[in-house]
Amino acid sequence: MVARIMLVDDDTNNLNAMWRVLRQLEEVEVERFGSALEALERSGEAAFDLVIADYRMPDLDGARFFEALRKIQPHSYRIIISGDTDVELFKAAINHGQIQRFIEKPCDGFMLAQTVQEGLQQTSLEQEVEQLRDRVGQLHELLRDIAARAPELLPADWEVE
């Protein structure tokens, strides 16, 4: 299965640098956006497994972007990237956007690729757990139906306790 990644950064050089690193990963599709608002619009049209966004953007900061994105795509893995080391910035990103990871700019390509792969693995595991929960729920329903019908399915001389 191909994983879909969204990159959001108003700095074209940084956006292109991340794209060059991530497009080399196997089984990924990467879309780039220079505007948080354009990225939010696109997130309403296509699902993304992982999203990386800059914190400081002119149209919408990263915390508010992820807060809005989480409402549209609650299961995407969220990574914020920033050159800023302001503690209040991190609090806002964590509390409002519920980010899973932080990457400091400028970021090393190897570290970026490794962080993305870890995020995609986490997303894949969460999807698998959700599918298993659904399957267990279906099996419970089936067992309830069988138990309810047991008296009519068994021969008349059998006793059900």
Side-chain angles (χ1 to χ4, degrees), residues 42-93:
R42 178 67 175 140
S43 71
E45 301 167 355
F48 291 90
D49 299 295
L50 185 139
V51 179
I52 300 174
D54 186 22
Y55 184 82
R56 300 250 185 237
M57 294 183 285
D59 53 353
L60 192 64
D61 72 45
R64 299 293 179 215
F65 167 77
F66 279 122
E67 183 176 18
L69 179 77
R70 192 171 42 90
K71 293 174 185 172
I72 301 167
Q73 297 193 22
H75 301 295
S76 63
Y77 192 86
R78 295 173 295 280
I79 300 172
I80 202 157
I81 186 166
S82 180
D84 201 328
T85 57
D86 181 3
V87 172
E88 292 305 313
L89 171 150
F90 301 128
K91 286 180 187 177

Side-chain angles (χ1 to χ4, degrees), residues 132-155:
L132 289 171
R133 280 189 184 128
D134 290 346
R135 187 69 176 144
V136 167
Q138 292 169 355
L139 291 172
H140 279 285
E141 286 294 320
L142 179 61
L143 289 173
R144 274 196 286 272
D145 290 346
I146 290 171
R149 293 184 52 211
E152 65 188 67
L153 296 174
L154 296 174

Side-chain angles (χ1 to χ4, degrees), residues 98-117:
Q98 294 186 356
I99 61 164
Q100 279 101 345
R101 291 291 294 268
F102 168 79
I103 297 175
E104 188 175 2
K105 280 184 182 179
C107 67
D108 172 76
F110 177 77
M111 193 267 310
L112 174 66
Q114 182 176 358
T115 301
V116 166
Q117 288 174 327

Side-chain angles (χ1 to χ4, degrees), residues 6-22 30-35 52-54 105 112:
M6 173 186 279
L7 301 176
V8 187
D9 196 329
D10 61 308
D11 180 340
T12 306
N13 292 330
N14 192 53
L15 190 63
N16 290 335
M18 288 189 297
W19 178 76
R20 281 190 299 276
V21 169
L22 298 180
V30 182
E31 290 189 36
R32 301 174 277 182
F33 298 89
S35 159
I52 300 174
D54 186 22
K105 280 184 182 179
L112 174 66

